[in-house]
Amino acid sequence: MKTKNNDLKRRIRLSFIAFILLAGIMIISFYSCKDNKNDKIEWLTGSVERQDISNMVTCTGTLEPITKIDVGTQVSGRVDKIYVDYNSIVSQGELLAELDQTVLLATLSSARSSMATAKSELEYKEKNYGRFKVLYEKQLISSSDYEEALYSYQKARNDYNVSVSSYQTAETNLGYAKIYSPIDGVVLSREVEEGQTVAASFETPTLFTIANDLTKMRVIAEVDEADMGDIAIGQRVMFTVDAFPYEEFTGTTTQVRLSPTTTNNVVTYEVVVEAPNGGLKLKPGMTATCTIYTLDKPDALAVPSQAVNFNPGNEMISEKDTVVWVLDENNFPVRRQIKTGNSNNMYTEVISGLTEGEKVITGKNTQPAKLTTQPDSGNESSPFMAQPPRRGGGGGRR
């Protein structure tokens, strides 16, 4: 009997302890839930403001004149005289150099003599043919004699035509012995010296390289194939050269060439960028580091791109609609449908639906509210003493 009483007392003590623990857990849960209710949502916002929206592609290229001509010779011979040098300013039709004309003059004289002989032969055959024709019409000679006279006359006429062509060729070649500038410009390079022999048997040798106008240059930029989808004619370009690393030059894309260039399995395409060169700082052959603006919208009304992608709850938004959320006077998010334009991932252009200066929500940050107590009059509360939870919530509507 005594043992049963002891067991009963032990069970009562255990039940009492369990009740105390359960009550403590409930009290802690109550205050925790109350604290969570007092948490406030901090809205992260951005401004509707003017921004320069741009995307860009970087590449390198080589500077060259827009118009550059290689001046050569169509005849072989020894260079007799040179009248220009590097950097010489030349005009169209100006004499640049002369080849030795001795052989060419002899060829022309020979052609002239051959032409004169052929002409005399033609005149004789023509008169002879006329006599035979009259006799043949009177049936005083045979047809074979007439045909032979006709053949001799036609052959003489053809020989004369050939001699005339030979004479004209020799005369033209003599004219080629003098090298004239085809354009106005400046001599970039001179490839020959006086006394040097040039041979034009298989290809025309280059004697001079002339640039038309160095105040107008172009960059032949090599653009990676992955970036070609955004390149178009008329895009703004900024570039620098090693000679002036702190100075930016401007240009415009004028041509996108379709022929690819493959180097070490890397495919690139040539993009032509025209650039003014009024100060003549840019020189042919310089390497340019280019930035091509594939998207260029200066001073556009824009919002942070996070605002376009933000959704404060489980709102159903059509894929066709573009929605942002703005805060009203009670710090409550209000849905606003807008029309957007270009985007560079950081900012999105706003065409309609928002005005400059408005605040749009870009995200939210939930932070627990701080617990505070009203201090007693004349007594300051110790920061190390337990304090009751604050009643009510703060920060606007929930």
Side-chain angles (χ1 to χ4, degrees):
M1 187 69 179
K2 188 176 181 180
T3 302
K4 289 182 179 181
N5 289 335
N6 291 335
D7 290 341
L8 180 61
K9 291 179 180 179
R10 186 168 58 252
R11 289 178 181 176
I12 293 174
R13 286 197 298 270
L14 292 175
S15 298
F16 180 74
I17 292 172
F19 174 76
I20 294 299
L21 292 175
L22 180 61
I25 292 173
M26 293 177 65
I27 291 173
I28 293 173
S29 300
F30 171 77
Y31 283 112
S32 296
C33 292
K34 196 167 184 180
D35 286 343
N36 288 338
K37 288 182 179 180
N38 286 321
D39 288 352
K40 67 177 182 178
I41 297 177
E42 179 185 355
W43 298 111
L44 306 178
T45 63
S47 299
V48 182
E49 57 188 4
R50 297 285 174 178
Q51 291 284 344
D52 293 338
I53 301 177
S54 61
N55 283 331
M56 57 196 71
V57 170
T58 58
C59 57
T60 59
T62 304
L63 279 157
E64 65 177 33
I66 293 178
T67 302
K68 183 178 68 172
I69 294 179
D70 293 330
V71 180
T73 175
Q74 293 180 281
V75 294
S76 302
R78 181 177 58 85
V79 179
D80 189 26
K81 295 179 181 179
I82 296 177
Y83 300 103
V84 295
D85 202 351
Y86 290 90
N87 302 335
S88 295
I89 305 298
V90 296
S91 302
Q92 184 177 3
E94 181 177 342
L95 183 62
L96 305 178
E98 288 187 61
L99 301 182
D100 181 56
Q101 302 178 21
T102 304
V103 175
L104 297 174
L105 286 172
T107 303
L108 179 63
S109 178
S110 176
R112 185 184 295 113
S113 299
S114 298
M115 183 177 66
T117 301
K119 183 178 181 181
S120 298
E121 184 72 14
L122 175 60
E123 291 173 351
Y124 169 74
K125 295 295 184 182
E126 185 178 9
K127 292 176 181 179
N128 192 45
Y129 167 70
R131 289 192 297 268
F132 273 75
K133 182 179 180 182
V134 173
L135 295 174
Y136 178 73
E137 291 175 350
K138 295 180 178 181
Q139 298 183 351
L140 298 176
I141 59 173
S142 63
S143 58
S144 60
D145 293 337
Y146 170 75
E147 291 173 355
E148 184 177 355
L150 176 61
Y151 168 77
S152 297
Y153 165 66
Q154 292 176 339
K155 183 177 182 298
R157 185 176 59 187
N158 293 335
D159 290 342
Y160 175 72
N161 291 336
V162 171
S163 67
V164 171
S165 297
S166 298
Y167 173 78
Q168 291 174 345
T169 301
E171 190 176 37
T172 301
N173 287 338
L174 180 61
Y176 287 152
K178 293 184 178 181
I179 313 301
Y180 297 94
S181 175
I183 59 173
D184 297 333
V186 58
V187 178
L188 296 181
S189 67
R190 175 172 60 84
E191 306 296 337
V192 292
E193 300 289 344
E194 289 186 359
Q196 181 177 340
T197 300
V198 292
S201 301
F202 300 102
E203 60 182 22
T204 301
T206 299
L207 306 183
F208 306 95
T209 300
I210 300 177
N212 177 245
D213 186 3
L214 291 182
T215 62
K216 298 177 182 178
M217 301 287 284
R218 66 181 180 182
V219 180
I220 306 300
E222 300 287 341
V223 180
D224 190 88
E225 61 175 326
D227 299 323
M228 285 302 296
D230 298 325
I231 302 297
I233 294 175
Q235 292 173 338
R236 182 169 67 97
V237 181
M238 303 293 292
F239 66 92
T240 60
V241 294
D242 292 341
F244 305 98
Y246 302 108
E247 183 173 354
E248 283 192 328
F249 300 89
T250 61
T252 305
T253 56
T254 58
Q255 188 180 54
V256 180
R257 294 178 177 173
L258 301 179
S259 177
T261 301
T262 304
T263 305
N264 297 328
N265 295 325
V266 177
V267 179
T268 58
Y269 291 84
E270 290 185 347
V271 176
V272 180
V273 178
E274 289 193 4
N277 186 31
L280 299 180
K281 292 183 177 180
L282 302 175
K283 303 294 190 292
M286 283 184 171
T287 299
T289 302
C290 304
T291 300
I292 303 175
Y293 287 84
T294 57
L295 171 61
D296 194 13
K297 295 282 291 188
D299 198 34
L301 189 65
V303 295
S305 295
Q306 302 97 309
V308 179
N309 301 320
F310 175 72
N311 190 340
N314 296 322
E315 294 283 342
M316 297 297 296
I317 300 175
S318 172
E319 294 182 357
K320 297 181 180 180
D321 296 334
T322 302
V323 173
V324 296
W325 301 82
V326 298
L327 290 178
D328 63 7
E329 63 276 4
N330 295 320
N331 203 37
F332 190 78
V334 177
R335 171 175 171 156
R336 185 82 63 81
Q337 186 168 336
I338 64 173
K339 183 178 180 181
T340 59
N342 297 299
S343 175
N344 64 351
N345 295 326
M346 293 183 61
Y347 290 93
T348 299
E349 181 186 10
V350 177
I351 297 176
S352 63
L354 291 172
T355 58
E356 187 173 357
E358 287 189 290
K359 297 290 185 180
V360 292
I361 300 176
T362 60
K364 62 181 178 180
N365 183 21
T366 304
Q367 297 180 346
K370 296 180 180 179
L371 300 179
T372 59
T373 58
Q374 293 291 338
D376 295 336
S377 59
N379 294 323
E380 293 185 359
S381 60
S382 171
F384 300 100
M385 296 180 61
Q387 300 179 10
R390 178 169 60 98
R391 289 185 177 274
R397 297 180 59 182
R398 302 188 179 278

